[in-house]
C-alpha cells in the first residue's frame, strides 16, 4: 500500500478523559490461576516436558483432540484436558494442561502454513468434521447457519476473542461492545452504549453526520491525491 496521510488531523483528546498511562498500569482483569505468575514460572520450569507433549499434539490430530477434550481414558477429560480445566474454573492445579495446549496450538498453526483458517479447518477435521469442535477455552461451530443463529441470539459474552481471554484493560478496553452481554432487556449496558454510538455516528439526519459526510471527499482527495489500483495490492 502506498503511504498516505491520516484522514483526521484534528486533536480529539480531552483533558477529562484521563491518562493512557493510568490505563496501561491498571491491574489486569479476570486473571485465572492458570494465567498467574505462578503458572508462568511453572511453565518455564517444566518447558521441556510441555514442548515434547505439545509438539506431538500439534502434529497428530488425535493427540490434539486428547489435550483438548480428553478421550476414553477414565478421568482424562476432567484431569488432563483444556475443557476439563475450563469446567473446573482454570485453577492452578490444571495450569499444566494449558502449557501443553499452547505449544500444541502454536505447532499446529505453523504446521498449517501459519494460516489461522487452515488451523481451524485442521481442528475441525481432527474432531470428526461435525457441527462443533473445541478450540482454546470454548466451543466453535462450523456452519454459517449456526453462526448466524448465534449472532442473532442473546449472548452471555465475556472479555474474550475467539474463546481466548482478552488482556484488559492494558490492551483492550474492558467495556468494548463485543465484551458486553447483549441481554434481552432494552436498558442493558450493551443496548444503551450501542444506541448512543448509533445516534452519534450513524444518524443520517443529524447535522454532525451530514458535516462529516460532506468533508469526506476533500479529506480523501488530500490524503490520496493520485489513486491507483496498485495501491490496493
Amino acid at each position: 500500500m502506498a503511504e498516505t496521510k491520516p484522514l483526521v488531523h484534528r486533536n480529539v483528546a480531552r483533558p477529562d478523559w484521563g491518562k493512557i498511562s493510568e490505563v496501561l498500569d491498571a491491574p489486569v482483569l479476570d486473571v485465572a490461576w492458570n494465567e498467574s505468575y505462578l503458572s508462568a514460572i511453572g511453565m518455564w520450569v517444566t518447558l521441556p516436558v510441555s514442548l515434547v507433549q505439545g509438539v506431538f499434539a500439534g502434529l497428530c490430530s488425535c493427540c490434539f483432540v486428547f489435550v483438548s477434550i480428553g478421550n476414553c481414558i477414565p478421568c482424562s477429560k476432567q484431569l488432563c484436558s483444556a475443557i476439563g480445566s475450563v469446567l473446573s474454573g482454570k485453577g492452578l492445579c490444571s495450569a499444566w494442561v494449558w502449557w501443553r495446549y499452547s505449544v500444541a496450538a502454536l505447532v499446529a498453526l505453523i504446521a498449517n502454513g501459519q494460516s489461522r483458517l487452515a488451523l481451524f479447518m485442521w481442528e475441525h477435521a481432527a474432531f470428526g468434521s461435525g457441527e462443533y469442535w473445541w478450540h482454546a477455552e470454548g466451543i466453535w461451530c462450523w456452519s454459517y447457519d449456526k453462526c448466524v443463529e448465534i449472532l442473532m441470539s442473546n449472548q452471555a459474552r465475556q472479555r474474550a476473542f475467539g474463546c481466548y481471554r482478552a488482556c484488559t484493560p492494558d490492551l483492550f478496553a474492558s467495556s468494548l461492545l463485543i465484551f458486553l452481554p447483549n441481554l434481552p432487556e432494552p436498558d442493558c449496558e450493551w443496548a444503551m452504549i450501542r444506541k448512543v454510538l448509533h445516534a452519534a455516528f450513524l444518524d443520517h439526519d443529524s447535522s454532525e453526520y451530514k458535516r462529516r459526510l460532506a468533508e469526506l471527499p476533500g479529506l480523501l482527495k488530500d490524503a490520496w491525491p493520485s489513486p491507483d489500483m496498485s495501491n490496493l495490492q
Side-chain angles (χ1 to χ4, degrees):
M1 292 285 289
E3 185 176 355
T4 61
K5 297 182 295 183
L7 296 183
V8 178
H9 304 282
R10 296 187 300 271
N11 182 10
V12 296
R14 288 169 35 179
D16 57 311
W17 284 1
K19 300 179 179 179
I20 186 63
S21 58
E22 295 177 354
V23 176
L24 297 178
D25 293 338
V28 181
L29 301 176
D30 304 328
V31 179
W33 276 105
N34 73 312
E35 301 158 341
S36 64
Y37 282 116
L38 287 176
S39 176
I41 294 172
M43 181 198 70
W44 286 111
V45 171
T46 62
L47 185 59
V49 178
S50 298
L51 282 175
V52 172
Q53 297 181 71
V55 168
F56 273 105
L59 297 176
C60 175
S61 58
C62 61
C63 293
F64 188 83
V65 172
F66 174 78
V67 303
S68 298
I69 63 171
N71 60 11
C72 59
I73 299 177
C75 298
S76 62
K77 174 183 175 182
Q78 292 83 354
L79 302 178
C80 305
S81 69
I83 189 174
S85 176
V86 171
L87 294 176
S88 64
K90 297 192 298 182
L92 188 60
C93 61
S94 66
W96 66 274
V97 305
W98 293 106
W99 310 339
R100 177 181 64 183
Y101 184 92
S102 298
V103 175
L106 177 60
V107 171
L109 176 64
I110 296 173
N112 284 278
Q114 303 179 45
S115 166
R116 288 183 295 175
L117 176 59
L119 170 65
F120 300 150
M121 295 176 68
W122 179 81
E123 290 180 347
H124 177 245
F127 280 84
S129 300
E131 184 66 49
Y132 305 99
W133 78 95
W134 183 268
H135 175 80
E137 299 181 15
I139 298 172
W140 283 44
C141 62
W142 178 256
S143 69
Y144 284 108
D145 291 340
K146 181 57 67 173
C147 289
V148 171
E149 179 184 342
I150 294 173
L151 289 173
M152 297 297 290
S153 65
N154 301 123
Q155 303 162 40
R157 300 170 181 165
Q158 298 182 16
R159 299 183 182 98
F161 294 108
C163 296
Y164 275 106
R165 190 180 300 275
C167 191
T168 56
D170 51 351
L171 290 184
F172 303 98
S174 57
S175 296
L176 290 177
L177 273 181
I178 56 175
F179 294 161
L180 300 177
N182 58 337
L183 305 175
E185 291 78 8
D187 57 348
C188 71
E189 185 178 6
W190 172 86
M192 298 302 293
I193 294 178
R194 188 172 184 270
K195 181 179 179 180
V196 171
L197 288 175
H198 273 255
F201 295 106
L202 300 176
D203 184 358
H204 295 189
D205 296 326
S206 70
S207 58
E208 180 65 17
Y209 179 89
K210 294 176 180 178
R211 183 191 63 78
R212 294 198 309 268
L213 192 64
E215 287 182 352
L216 277 179
L219 292 172
L220 288 171
K221 184 178 180 180
D222 292 341
W224 200 2
S226 301
D228 187 87
M229 290 300 295
S230 62
N231 300 139
L232 301 178
Q233 297 178 355

